[in-house]
Amino acid sequence: MIVILKENTSAQAMEQVVGNFKSFGFDVHISHGSTHTILGLIGDTGKLDIDQIKMFECVDDVKRIQEPFKNANRKFHPLDTVVKVKDAVIGGGGMTVIAGPCSVESEEQIITVARSVKASGAKLLRGGAFKPRTSPYAFQGLREEGIRLLLEAKKDTGLPIVTEIMDLSQLDLFTDVDVIQVGARNMQNFELLKQLGHTDKPILLKRGLANTYQELLMSAEYIMAFGNENVILCERGIRTFENYTRNTLDISAVPVLKKLSHLPVIVDPSHAVGFAEFVMPLSLAAIAAGADGLIIEVHNNPSCARCDGMQSLTPEAFDKTVKKLNRLKAALTED
Amino acid sequence: MIVILKENTSAQAMEQVVGNFKSFGFDVHISHGSTHTILGLIGDTGKLDIDQIKMFECVDDVKRIQEPFKNANRKFHPLDTVVKVKDAVIGGGGMTVIAGPCSVESEEQIITVARSVKASGAKLLRGGAFKPRTSPYAFQGLREEGIRLLLEAKKDTGLPIVTEIMDLSQLDLFTDVDVIQVGARNMQNFELLKQLGHTDKPILLKRGLANTYQELLMSAEYIMAFGNENVILCERGIRTFENYTRNTLDISAVPVLKKLSHLPVIVDPSHAVGFAEFVMPLSLAAIAAGADGLIIEVHNNPSCARCDGMQSLTPEAFDKTVKKLNRLKAALTED
Amino acid sequence: MIVILKENTSAQAMEQVVGNFKSFGFDVHISHGSTHTILGLIGDTGKLDIDQIKMFECVDDVKRIQEPFKNANRKFHPLDTVVKVKDAVIGGGGMTVIAGPCSVESEEQIITVARSVKASGAKLLRGGAFKPRTSPYAFQGLREEGIRLLLEAKKDTGLPIVTEIMDLSQLDLFTDVDVIQVGARNMQNFELLKQLGHTDKPILLKRGLANTYQELLMSAEYIMAFGNENVILCERGIRTFENYTRNTLDISAVPVLKKLSHLPVIVDPSHAVGFAEFVMPLSLAAIAAGADGLIIEVHNNPSCARCDGMQSLTPEAFDKTVKKLNRLKAALTED
Amino acid sequence: MIVILKENTSAQAMEQVVGNFKSFGFDVHISHGSTHTILGLIGDTGKLDIDQIKMFECVDDVKRIQEPFKNANRKFHPLDTVVKVKDAVIGGGGMTVIAGPCSVESEEQIITVARSVKASGAKLLRGGAFKPRTSPYAFQGLREEGIRLLLEAKKDTGLPIVTEIMDLSQLDLFTDVDVIQVGARNMQNFELLKQLGHTDKPILLKRGLANTYQELLMSAEYIMAFGNENVILCERGIRTFENYTRNTLDISAVPVLKKLSHLPVIVDPSHAVGFAEFVMPLSLAAIAAGADGLIIEVHNNPSCARCDGMQSLTPEAFDKTVKKLNRLKAALTED
């Protein structure tokens, strides 16, 4: 960590600051420039609070050299983390497709979709039971009943299930859920993250609408710091000035997150773009960019979907998409 | 609500859609344009789910005419809501200043700050007990103990207190808290909002980092729809490409929210800009733009603050700011 | 175009507005809703100025149904435009790679790079002669001499050349240039666009840092409205809150622009991401998403490049990238 | 400037880099950390190209300590620059209001507006002759004739005039114009900026839609580096995800730019917000935040304005706004 002192800092003030850092256990290298004096803190600064250091009267600016995340950091865990969910694996160079409807609506619906996405090659079933909706007047999901129906679909098809938790108080209902999803709006719900860190369930952590790569990794760090290393990162579009699409898929997140972290990275093209017709090109792009998998919305009758129908693929379109993805993946892995 | 049909929609498909809308209880006006046919839905469309309508095969686009919020809408409640908290009032043309440290750190600290901000004219005391921090390794607040200390400061000074809730499970601890703050990261924590709608406490609802005016009002609507009308809206900066400041204060939010809603609107200049030296000009700007109040961070010793010291005013700077605010407010109200 | 009148508009005011629209040559359909009256304007509203209509006293809002661009609109030109540049073609389903250094630096440099990218499969040579630099103290390009050296490289390799114009006054120097690039900062330099509309050169039009799809298409429309139909659209990253990458590649722009317009769409992964190590995954993603080509920075000695060396591929990395792109493209086109 | 070397950089590689920096004329301080070695470059690094340094094989990152602008930097010019335009002054603690229509439309219109804004207290007249419009089909301004009419209004009222240049080729027409405006879209039209640096006219430089404070100051630096020190900075709203307003007024730009630079800073509330009803609160906010002045759109008949009528004040509303601004300014300056 580099600490830049203000111009005209007195020798006495500098000594005091340096003394402080030494008392925290750091070695301090001093370098006098033409206008500023610079201190280099030597030691494990990863857990230092940068804002606190900026508060010293004579400190002008502080620049971090080490990243503030440890558990999620590839530097300390060079090998890819592979998250195992029943027979499925996520991470490590494969391509895992998760699919299913935005919301669970009925037993018939979820089982129909589950069978169909399984036949096309999906390895996990997604489906929303608790639904975060902007309006209190919109359909809020089937809730407990939704989870029950997902478990029926799991029994029927053998597909492990992924579904979203919206509040800690719901955790008991997730006992038989295979992967717990933390939605974009809860990416910095730190109390929830801490508690999920105490479970041993894989957590699918979606990037918030306006959160940086580092903030996403810090949220993963929350889960991991409390003991749960099974975190799957998910890029699902960020909010920008462009409104033609629902969000803006930040495709660069894939190779950057893979570089910074050993955790698997998947992409949700459905929420990112918001229109079924663009889900295939974005799915292909995600895998081409190096994603470990996809989470795609599929509905047996999109025009009657109770939410997000516009972005749901029909089973036929999903099947076609997976076939093309397989060809692309094969071309990329031959060497 | 206006529904635009795709070009070349057959008469039969159109009839079916129209029939659907009629079965929902709407009158439908049909208007044939040169390229598109347009349907006007007549009736209370405020609670209709726009996405669901877009799913009809023959629908090209849907445009809302009415806003999707009712309880928070000035159209239906033309008079300003005034939130009363003990002797303080927020809304209705006055200027209410809330002040205090980012975090409660000790009894001495919070009582010192409380007395000092009261002397300068603050009407409520703020202080964080539960702290949302990006890093799991940063100070997380004194939690239960922090609330206890706030209540001591309240007893000492008579100032009502404002503090942030981070999870539903903490609600029992807020019995004697006067105003419950929902932080920016929880603005769309809908389970929390619903539950707060069942209390009768004033709620200070902060705008999320990347949430629109309408989303903020929809979150207020969540609270109000469940029975609690005491909502205070707070603009605290949005995230943009500009990184010199911590966030970008969206000053236009003040007059726009006051136009759209009858709820009081306050501004948090401290989090918006992130540096103490800019808090005064932004406070003045907020009141000049019509805000009902401010929430300002004040610390008796900013350089030792356990969080956000950089943006905290000293008691002296706060006093000077309030004096200048009073002069400005007086100049604006004389007519 | 739909015009929504304010609540409580008098019959007289409405008649006047309707009369106005009729005098402009539109048919007007009137639809009375429960709270608002809505007018549907029927006729060619593509060239109407939406802001002007909003100015009528009694108009609440105006919503466009038709897009404001004609020449660039796929609705009126369903077939892909294919831009021909000597032996190269851009558009129509192929994959065309443009490559070369950020700046032309010397005859040896540009000829070395040109030969090498040609050998790897590039069909056009790029190279900056006039360089837009944020700082007046940074290298501004070799200017006239840069163009002369590009023409030497063209003579040597036969590759057609692409280079950026920064001001109308430079146009005479572009006589032998094959494709004129308009940079992101000049996307809305309308005087320049108009003048380029009077030439017959292919124009590579880069999307501005914060411009929407529609604004990009309107800028293409400027060129096309004055007679030049040879416009190539280029997505090169937008500015967002994420600063890890230089810009944020908006990969969705590819399928969306291809849907809205018949013009070819290429991607510049080098400027979008800013680091050579991520250029390959983003190039693959761009082609997977349906781009017609790429423009990639290649430098024979990136660490000595006079600008943007960080994002430049070495000739070896470029060669490897093109090989992988070819495999991917083949996999996507087999059916 | 701080240069961070990669982990495991060999002693030999380090020596070579250090030698390089010394050959550029810098002193180099070396500081060995636990994971990284850090070099401090001592000397005038303001004009160094940061990207070039990042290209050295062994360099991990570079961090600037000094700002890259000199002429515009308050550090080197502590006193406020005051720009004099005939009898008006901009900067130095006063409040200067510039007003007039978006576009010059006719002699009668511009003279009527000029007389009226002068009577209300405006010190300069604005009016667009060359209009940057998104659509080639929209009104492009009266151009040469517009400038002639502005000069008539100047003769009639004595108000100096401000109008926008869109291309270098128009410069000859600006001989009698008092202040040349560079619009947001041209903020990084560097060829234009250089040429304006060779004139002695005051330049009103508007911040681009997605440009940082530093980029704005670097564009001012372009003008100043070529000899023209009369630059007025103008905040006019940035582009964000919030679409209710036309742009998002970044009010923090006012105190931040005033801190970083000695140049005067004014605000354009009309373009920032896009609706006349919000111009007064934002004008008050701008002056409260410390702006040196405002540029406000006023039209004698907004509903017939040929562009931007929605955001234009009537002369009556403008008069009322100036009166309130005067009261506010007086309250802020009494001490």
PDB file of all heavy atoms in Angstrom, chain A residues 140-163:
ATOM      1  N   GLN A 140     -45.786 -12.053  -6.996  1.00  0.00           N
ATOM      2  CA  GLN A 140     -44.603 -12.164  -6.128  1.00  0.00           C
ATOM      3  C   GLN A 140     -44.039 -13.589  -6.057  1.00  0.00           C
ATOM      4  O   GLN A 140     -43.148 -13.857  -5.240  1.00  0.00           O
ATOM      5  CB  GLN A 140     -44.957 -11.685  -4.703  1.00  0.00           C
ATOM      6  CG  GLN A 140     -45.611 -10.301  -4.638  1.00  0.00           C
ATOM      7  CD  GLN A 140     -44.617  -9.157  -4.541  1.00  0.00           C
ATOM      8  OE1 GLN A 140     -43.649  -9.246  -3.798  1.00  0.00           O
ATOM      9  NE2 GLN A 140     -44.827  -8.106  -5.315  1.00  0.00           N
ATOM     10  N   GLY A 141     -44.519 -14.451  -6.894  1.00  0.00           N
ATOM     11  CA  GLY A 141     -44.023 -15.830  -6.874  1.00  0.00           C
ATOM     12  C   GLY A 141     -44.914 -16.722  -6.008  1.00  0.00           C
ATOM     13  O   GLY A 141     -45.664 -16.244  -5.164  1.00  0.00           O
ATOM     14  N   LEU A 142     -44.792 -18.039  -6.222  1.00  0.00           N
ATOM     15  CA  LEU A 142     -45.608 -18.987  -5.447  1.00  0.00           C
ATOM     16  C   LEU A 142     -45.010 -19.254  -4.072  1.00  0.00           C
ATOM     17  O   LEU A 142     -45.576 -19.958  -3.254  1.00  0.00           O
ATOM     18  CB  LEU A 142     -45.756 -20.318  -6.193  1.00  0.00           C
ATOM     19  CG  LEU A 142     -46.562 -20.292  -7.486  1.00  0.00           C
ATOM     20  CD1 LEU A 142     -46.662 -21.717  -8.053  1.00  0.00           C
ATOM     21  CD2 LEU A 142     -47.959 -19.735  -7.257  1.00  0.00           C
ATOM     22  N   ARG A 143     -43.808 -18.769  -3.850  1.00  0.00           N
ATOM     23  CA  ARG A 143     -43.112 -18.834  -2.556  1.00  0.00           C
ATOM     24  C   ARG A 143     -42.970 -20.295  -2.073  1.00  0.00           C
ATOM     25  O   ARG A 143     -42.470 -21.120  -2.844  1.00  0.00           O
ATOM     26  CB  ARG A 143     -43.822 -17.902  -1.563  1.00  0.00           C
ATOM     27  CG  ARG A 143     -43.843 -16.446  -2.178  1.00  0.00           C
ATOM     28  CD  ARG A 143     -44.579 -15.404  -1.365  1.00  0.00           C
ATOM     29  NE  ARG A 143     -43.911 -15.095  -0.118  1.00  0.00           N
ATOM     30  CZ  ARG A 143     -43.004 -14.127   0.057  1.00  0.00           C
ATOM     31  NH1 ARG A 143     -42.639 -13.372  -0.963  1.00  0.00           N
ATOM     32  NH2 ARG A 143     -42.460 -13.906   1.241  1.00  0.00           N
ATOM     33  N   GLU A 144     -43.340 -20.636  -0.837  1.00  0.00           N
ATOM     34  CA  GLU A 144     -43.127 -22.001  -0.326  1.00  0.00           C
ATOM     35  C   GLU A 144     -43.611 -23.060  -1.333  1.00  0.00           C
ATOM     36  O   GLU A 144     -42.925 -24.042  -1.606  1.00  0.00           O
ATOM     37  CB  GLU A 144     -43.880 -22.229   0.996  1.00  0.00           C
ATOM     38  CG  GLU A 144     -43.346 -21.445   2.175  1.00  0.00           C
ATOM     39  CD  GLU A 144     -43.897 -20.025   2.254  1.00  0.00           C
ATOM     40  OE1 GLU A 144     -44.348 -19.499   1.211  1.00  0.00           O
ATOM     41  OE2 GLU A 144     -43.872 -19.431   3.349  1.00  0.00           O
ATOM     42  N   GLU A 145     -44.810 -22.817  -1.853  1.00  0.00           N
ATOM     43  CA  GLU A 145     -45.380 -23.761  -2.811  1.00  0.00           C
ATOM     44  C   GLU A 145     -44.476 -23.889  -4.053  1.00  0.00           C
ATOM     45  O   GLU A 145     -44.338 -24.977  -4.624  1.00  0.00           O
ATOM     46  CB  GLU A 145     -46.782 -23.257  -3.215  1.00  0.00           C
ATOM     47  CG  GLU A 145     -47.460 -23.992  -4.338  1.00  0.00           C
ATOM     48  CD  GLU A 145     -47.867 -25.417  -3.982  1.00  0.00           C
ATOM     49  OE1 GLU A 145     -47.661 -25.840  -2.824  1.00  0.00           O
ATOM     50  OE2 GLU A 145     -48.375 -26.121  -4.880  1.00  0.00           O
ATOM     51  N   GLY A 146     -43.863 -22.811  -4.444  1.00  0.00           N
ATOM     52  CA  GLY A 146     -42.956 -22.846  -5.597  1.00  0.00           C
ATOM     53  C   GLY A 146     -41.776 -23.771  -5.346  1.00  0.00           C
ATOM     54  O   GLY A 146     -41.361 -24.530  -6.229  1.00  0.00           O
ATOM     55  N   ILE A 147     -41.243 -23.701  -4.138  1.00  0.00           N
ATOM     56  CA  ILE A 147     -40.120 -24.577  -3.819  1.00  0.00           C
ATOM     57  C   ILE A 147     -40.564 -26.038  -3.813  1.00  0.00           C
ATOM     58  O   ILE A 147     -39.873 -26.924  -4.326  1.00  0.00           O
ATOM     59  CB  ILE A 147     -39.483 -24.159  -2.468  1.00  0.00           C
ATOM     60  CG1 ILE A 147     -38.814 -22.787  -2.687  1.00  0.00           C
ATOM     61  CG2 ILE A 147     -38.502 -25.208  -1.956  1.00  0.00           C
ATOM     62  CD1 ILE A 147     -37.929 -22.320  -1.581  1.00  0.00           C
ATOM     63  N   ARG A 148     -41.759 -26.291  -3.274  1.00  0.00           N
ATOM     64  CA  ARG A 148     -42.291 -27.653  -3.281  1.00  0.00           C
ATOM     65  C   ARG A 148     -42.394 -28.183  -4.720  1.00  0.00           C
ATOM     66  O   ARG A 148     -42.008 -29.327  -5.011  1.00  0.00           O
ATOM     67  CB  ARG A 148     -43.670 -27.682  -2.615  1.00  0.00           C
ATOM     68  CG  ARG A 148     -44.130 -29.085  -2.195  1.00  0.00           C
ATOM     69  CD  ARG A 148     -45.569 -29.112  -1.690  1.00  0.00           C
ATOM     70  NE  ARG A 148     -46.560 -28.728  -2.682  1.00  0.00           N
ATOM     71  CZ  ARG A 148     -46.951 -29.485  -3.711  1.00  0.00           C
ATOM     72  NH1 ARG A 148     -46.449 -30.684  -3.907  1.00  0.00           N
ATOM     73  NH2 ARG A 148     -47.847 -29.034  -4.576  1.00  0.00           N
ATOM     74  N   LEU A 149     -42.854 -27.346  -5.604  1.00  0.00           N
ATOM     75  CA  LEU A 149     -43.018 -27.788  -6.998  1.00  0.00           C
ATOM     76  C   LEU A 149     -41.666 -28.018  -7.678  1.00  0.00           C
ATOM     77  O   LEU A 149     -41.504 -28.951  -8.464  1.00  0.00           O
ATOM     78  CB  LEU A 149     -43.850 -26.762  -7.784  1.00  0.00           C
ATOM     79  CG  LEU A 149     -45.291 -26.587  -7.289  1.00  0.00           C
ATOM     80  CD1 LEU A 149     -46.030 -25.542  -8.133  1.00  0.00           C
ATOM     81  CD2 LEU A 149     -46.057 -27.913  -7.320  1.00  0.00           C
ATOM     82  N   LEU A 150     -40.701 -27.188  -7.353  1.00  0.00           N
ATOM     83  CA  LEU A 150     -39.350 -27.409  -7.881  1.00  0.00           C
ATOM     84  C   LEU A 150     -38.815 -28.766  -7.439  1.00  0.00           C
ATOM     85  O   LEU A 150     -38.183 -29.493  -8.225  1.00  0.00           O
ATOM     86  CB  LEU A 150     -38.390 -26.317  -7.393  1.00  0.00           C
ATOM     87  CG  LEU A 150     -38.415 -24.994  -8.158  1.00  0.00           C
ATOM     88  CD1 LEU A 150     -37.631 -23.936  -7.401  1.00  0.00           C
ATOM     89  CD2 LEU A 150     -37.843 -25.177  -9.570  1.00  0.00           C
ATOM     90  N   LEU A 151     -39.095 -29.105  -6.184  1.00  0.00           N
ATOM     91  CA  LEU A 151     -38.606 -30.390  -5.676  1.00  0.00           C
ATOM     92  C   LEU A 151     -39.315 -31.548  -6.365  1.00  0.00           C
ATOM     93  O   LEU A 151     -38.719 -32.612  -6.585  1.00  0.00           O
ATOM     94  CB  LEU A 151     -38.764 -30.448  -4.151  1.00  0.00           C
ATOM     95  CG  LEU A 151     -37.871 -29.441  -3.393  1.00  0.00           C
ATOM     96  CD1 LEU A 151     -38.202 -29.419  -1.896  1.00  0.00           C
ATOM     97  CD2 LEU A 151     -36.385 -29.755  -3.606  1.00  0.00           C
ATOM     98  N   GLU A 152     -40.569 -31.324  -6.726  1.00  0.00           N
ATOM     99  CA  GLU A 152     -41.276 -32.344  -7.528  1.00  0.00           C
ATOM    100  C   GLU A 152     -40.572 -32.531  -8.869  1.00  0.00           C
ATOM    101  O   GLU A 152     -40.371 -33.654  -9.331  1.00  0.00           O
ATOM    102  CB  GLU A 152     -42.733 -31.905  -7.790  1.00  0.00           C
ATOM    103  CG  GLU A 152     -43.639 -31.921  -6.572  1.00  0.00           C
ATOM    104  CD  GLU A 152     -43.816 -33.327  -5.994  1.00  0.00           C
ATOM    105  OE1 GLU A 152     -43.864 -34.297  -6.788  1.00  0.00           O
ATOM    106  OE2 GLU A 152     -43.863 -33.451  -4.752  1.00  0.00           O
ATOM    107  N   ALA A 153     -40.229 -31.406  -9.483  1.00  0.00           N
ATOM    108  CA  ALA A 153     -39.572 -31.479 -10.795  1.00  0.00           C
ATOM    109  C   ALA A 153     -38.208 -32.147 -10.682  1.00  0.00           C
ATOM    110  O   ALA A 153     -37.774 -32.883 -11.578  1.00  0.00           O
ATOM    111  CB  ALA A 153     -39.431 -30.073 -11.380  1.00  0.00           C
ATOM    112  N   LYS A 154     -37.534 -31.878  -9.569  1.00  0.00           N
ATOM    113  CA  LYS A 154     -36.233 -32.511  -9.333  1.00  0.00           C
ATOM    114  C   LYS A 154     -36.412 -34.030  -9.214  1.00  0.00           C
ATOM    115  O   LYS A 154     -35.639 -34.819  -9.781  1.00  0.00           O
ATOM    116  CB  LYS A 154     -35.645 -31.930  -8.049  1.00  0.00           C
ATOM    117  CG  LYS A 154     -34.351 -32.568  -7.574  1.00  0.00           C
ATOM    118  CD  LYS A 154     -33.894 -31.921  -6.256  1.00  0.00           C
ATOM    119  CE  LYS A 154     -32.684 -32.604  -5.656  1.00  0.00           C
ATOM    120  NZ  LYS A 154     -32.285 -31.967  -4.381  1.00  0.00           N
ATOM    121  N   LYS A 155     -37.456 -34.440  -8.459  1.00  0.00           N
ATOM    122  CA  LYS A 155     -37.699 -35.880  -8.278  1.00  0.00           C
ATOM    123  C   LYS A 155     -38.001 -36.524  -9.633  1.00  0.00           C
ATOM    124  O   LYS A 155     -37.524 -37.599  -9.961  1.00  0.00           O
ATOM    125  CB  LYS A 155     -38.894 -36.070  -7.316  1.00  0.00           C
ATOM    126  CG  LYS A 155     -38.903 -37.414  -6.620  1.00  0.00           C
ATOM    127  CD  LYS A 155     -40.198 -37.665  -5.839  1.00  0.00           C
ATOM    128  CE  LYS A 155     -40.461 -36.578  -4.787  1.00  0.00           C
ATOM    129  NZ  LYS A 155     -41.787 -36.784  -4.121  1.00  0.00           N
ATOM    130  N   ASP A 156     -38.778 -35.823 -10.432  1.00  0.00           N
ATOM    131  CA  ASP A 156     -39.204 -36.360 -11.729  1.00  0.00           C
ATOM    132  C   ASP A 156     -38.042 -36.511 -12.698  1.00  0.00           C
ATOM    133  O   ASP A 156     -37.959 -37.485 -13.436  1.00  0.00           O
ATOM    134  CB  ASP A 156     -40.266 -35.436 -12.326  1.00  0.00           C
ATOM    135  CG  ASP A 156     -40.824 -35.970 -13.623  1.00  0.00           C
ATOM    136  OD1 ASP A 156     -41.799 -36.741 -13.567  1.00  0.00           O
ATOM    137  OD2 ASP A 156     -40.276 -35.636 -14.706  1.00  0.00           O
ATOM    138  N   THR A 157     -37.151 -35.503 -12.728  1.00  0.00           N
ATOM    139  CA  THR A 157     -36.117 -35.484 -13.772  1.00  0.00           C
ATOM    140  C   THR A 157     -34.720 -35.799 -13.258  1.00  0.00           C
ATOM    141  O   THR A 157     -33.816 -36.069 -14.049  1.00  0.00           O
ATOM    142  CB  THR A 157     -36.039 -34.077 -14.410  1.00  0.00           C
ATOM    143  OG1 THR A 157     -35.749 -33.128 -13.340  1.00  0.00           O
ATOM    144  CG2 THR A 157     -37.343 -33.684 -15.074  1.00  0.00           C
ATOM    145  N   GLY A 158     -34.529 -35.702 -11.971  1.00  0.00           N
ATOM    146  CA  GLY A 158     -33.176 -35.878 -11.443  1.00  0.00           C
ATOM    147  C   GLY A 158     -32.318 -34.636 -11.540  1.00  0.00           C
ATOM    148  O   GLY A 158     -31.170 -34.631 -11.081  1.00  0.00           O
ATOM    149  N   LEU A 159     -32.844 -33.571 -12.125  1.00  0.00           N
ATOM    150  CA  LEU A 159     -32.044 -32.345 -12.250  1.00  0.00           C
ATOM    151  C   LEU A 159     -31.931 -31.641 -10.905  1.00  0.00           C
ATOM    152  O   LEU A 159     -32.951 -31.381 -10.251  1.00  0.00           O
ATOM    153  CB  LEU A 159     -32.696 -31.364 -13.234  1.00  0.00           C
ATOM    154  CG  LEU A 159     -32.682 -31.720 -14.716  1.00  0.00           C
ATOM    155  CD1 LEU A 159     -33.397 -30.621 -15.519  1.00  0.00           C
ATOM    156  CD2 LEU A 159     -31.255 -31.900 -15.244  1.00  0.00           C
ATOM    157  N   PRO A 160     -30.730 -31.295 -10.482  1.00  0.00           N
ATOM    158  CA  PRO A 160     -30.613 -30.456  -9.284  1.00  0.00           C
ATOM    159  C   PRO A 160     -31.242 -29.082  -9.558  1.00  0.00           C
ATOM    160  O   PRO A 160     -31.302 -28.647 -10.708  1.00  0.00           O
ATOM    161  CB  PRO A 160     -29.098 -30.338  -9.055  1.00  0.00           C
ATOM    162  CG  PRO A 160     -28.427 -30.913 -10.245  1.00  0.00           C
ATOM    163  CD  PRO A 160     -29.422 -31.637 -11.073  1.00  0.00           C
ATOM    164  N   ILE A 161     -31.673 -28.401  -8.500  1.00  0.00           N
ATOM    165  CA  ILE A 161     -32.408 -27.150  -8.704  1.00  0.00           C
ATOM    166  C   ILE A 161     -31.686 -25.937  -8.109  1.00  0.00           C
ATOM    167  O   ILE A 161     -30.983 -26.033  -7.104  1.00  0.00           O
ATOM    168  CB  ILE A 161     -33.845 -27.234  -8.140  1.00  0.00           C
ATOM    169  CG1 ILE A 161     -33.823 -27.521  -6.638  1.00  0.00           C
ATOM    170  CG2 ILE A 161     -34.661 -28.266  -8.908  1.00  0.00           C
ATOM    171  CD1 ILE A 161     -35.200 -27.506  -5.995  1.00  0.00           C
ATOM    172  N   VAL A 162     -31.903 -24.821  -8.798  1.00  0.00           N
ATOM    173  CA  VAL A 162     -31.346 -23.513  -8.414  1.00  0.00           C
ATOM    174  C   VAL A 162     -32.531 -22.581  -8.218  1.00  0.00           C
ATOM    175  O   VAL A 162     -33.353 -22.430  -9.107  1.00  0.00           O
ATOM    176  CB  VAL A 162     -30.498 -22.919  -9.568  1.00  0.00           C
ATOM    177  CG1 VAL A 162     -29.868 -21.602  -9.136  1.00  0.00           C
ATOM    178  CG2 VAL A 162     -29.491 -23.909 -10.084  1.00  0.00           C
ATOM    179  N   THR A 163     -32.594 -21.924  -7.042  1.00  0.00           N
ATOM    180  CA  THR A 163     -33.678 -20.953  -6.868  1.00  0.00           C
ATOM    181  C   THR A 163     -33.223 -19.862  -5.904  1.00  0.00           C
ATOM    182  O   THR A 163     -32.278 -20.050  -5.136  1.00  0.00           O
ATOM    183  CB  THR A 163     -34.999 -21.651  -6.444  1.00  0.00           C
ATOM    184  OG1 THR A 163     -36.075 -20.719  -6.574  1.00  0.00           O
ATOM    185  CG2 THR A 163     -34.954 -22.153  -5.012  1.00  0.00           C
TER     186      THR A 163
END
